[in-house]
């Protein structure tokens, strides 16, 4: 028993001298991340619209309000529409309607309170707090929801930390892209 203690003692001393594993140290990757609250302003390039987005760390992918789909050469099976152009209508937080055309990159199967549904996904570039990311966003009718854009972990990963106690009015001004 004593020999085992002598063998592990240097390692135990080293561990005790190290800073706590879960603290954010200056210069660590965590200090480079932007802190946002449960809502943040996001600009969608191509649409040139700003959205007060719901930040949802439980959502794998981001979702944009879209209605009035027009798919060039639409097939009945959604999978057969991948690679085709989709034209859709959306509305920003300040009430501006805009149409956009993008290529369907994927069909996503989503399970929610209403059941299982298939959603088209398009590649969009979202920008906030000086960070630009091109991600796949699913298109969904969010007309009954307060937030017309929901940002999920696909957009948050590597660049943002979410402080759920940060109220909308406390959010830094630079978080809204001009």
């Amino acid at each position: 028993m004593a020999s085992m203690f002598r063998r592990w003692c240097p390692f135990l001393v080293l561990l005790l001298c190290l800073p706590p594993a879960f603290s954010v140290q200056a210069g660590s990757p965590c200090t480079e991340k932007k802190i946002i609250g449960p809502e943040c302003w996001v600009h969608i390039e191509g649409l040139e619209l700003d959205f007060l987005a719901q930040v949802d760390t439980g959502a794998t992918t981001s979702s944009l309000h879209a209605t009035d789909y027009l798919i060039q050469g639409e097939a009945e099976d959604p999978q057969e529409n991948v690679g085709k152009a989709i034209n859709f209508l959306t509305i920003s937080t300040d009430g501006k309607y805009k149409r956009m055309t993008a290529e369907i990159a994927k069909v996503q199967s989503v399970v929610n309170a209403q059941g299982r549904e298939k959603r088209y996904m398009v590649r969009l570039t979202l920008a906030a707090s000086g960070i630009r990311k091109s991600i796949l966003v699913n298109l969904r009718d969010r007309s009954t929801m307060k937030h017309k854009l929901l940002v999920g972990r696909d957009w948050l990963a590597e660049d943002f930390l979410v402080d759920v106690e940060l109220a909308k009015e406390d959010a830094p001004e630079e978080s809204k892209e001009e």
Side-chain angles (χ1 to χ4, degrees):
M1 183 74 159
S3 67
M4 189 168 72
F5 178 74
R6 279 193 296 269
R7 190 176 335 148
W8 288 102
C9 188
F11 297 110
L12 293 173
V13 170
L14 179 62
L15 286 173
L16 292 172
C17 293
L18 291 174
F22 297 106
S23 67
V24 177
Q25 302 296 317
S28 77
C30 291
T31 60
E32 304 301 318
K33 295 184 180 193
K34 305 286 184 174
I35 298 174
I36 58 174
E39 296 178 320
C40 73
W41 284 99
V42 177
H43 178 79
I44 298 182
E45 295 179 8
L47 275 171
E48 304 311 322
L49 292 177
D50 296 319
F51 294 83
L52 180 61
Q54 175 183 349
V55 176
D56 187 349
T57 59
T60 304
T61 57
S62 299
S63 182
L64 175 66
H65 170 69
T67 58
D68 195 23
Y69 300 130
L70 299 170
I71 300 172
Q72 181 182 14
E74 183 174 8
E76 196 172 310
D77 179 4
Q79 290 291 347
E80 292 179 19
N81 292 322
V82 173
K84 295 180 181 180
I86 185 170
N87 183 279
F88 58 91
L89 182 68
T90 192
I91 182 172
S92 65
T93 300
D94 62 358
K96 292 181 186 169
Y97 284 90
K98 208 152 194 191
R99 292 198 72 83
M100 180 178 197
T101 300
E103 181 181 311
I104 299 171
K106 183 178 175 181
V107 176
Q108 179 184 40
S109 183
V110 176
V111 178
N112 59 23
Q114 292 78 35
R116 183 176 294 275
E117 63 182 80
K118 292 188 185 250
R119 297 182 191 167
Y120 290 115
M121 296 187 80
V122 298
R123 183 162 297 283
L124 296 175
T125 301
L126 282 60
S129 299
I131 306 284
R132 291 178 68 245
K133 279 190 179 181
S134 177
I135 60 168
L136 290 178
V137 175
N138 72 49
L139 303 177
R140 177 173 193 235
D141 184 345
R142 299 179 60 86
S143 55
T144 60
M145 300 174 197
K146 174 184 172 188
H147 298 93
K148 303 309 177 202
L149 176 65
L150 176 142
V151 291
R153 292 190 310 266
D154 57 346
W155 185 75
L156 298 166
E158 300 177 15
D159 295 303
F160 296 94
L161 292 175
V162 180
D163 181 349
V164 295
E165 293 179 354
L166 185 64
K168 181 173 74 173
E169 56 274 4
D170 296 336
E173 281 299 313
E174 73 267 9
S175 65
K176 181 173 179 181
E177 294 292 317
E178 296 302 327

